[in-house]
Amino acid sequence: MELTFDKICEKLGFNPLVNPPACNLSGYEDDSKESPYAVLTFEESDFLCEYMKNNTNKTAQQ
């Protein structure tokens, strides 16, 4: 399976360049809330990180 930004967005249910999830800080450490990115494999996370580093200054067309 080839990794693509579109496939990762589909798996996440959102486009992190256009509409990343809101960061809800509770004022204390709260381990009960899982990251929305936890559904990604290491390879998908690595791909997404590199993709975002290379494309954050470009307009997302997704």
Side-chain angles (χ1 to χ4, degrees), residues 16-48:
L17 290 175
V18 176
N19 59 341
C23 182
N24 298 322
L25 300 176
S26 61
Y28 60 91
E29 188 172 338
D30 183 0
D31 292 337
S32 67
K33 296 177 184 168
E34 188 172 273
S35 168
Y37 298 95
V39 298
L40 301 178
T41 65
F42 175 79
E43 290 80 13
E44 291 167 332
S45 295
D46 190 46
F47 179 93
L48 181 60

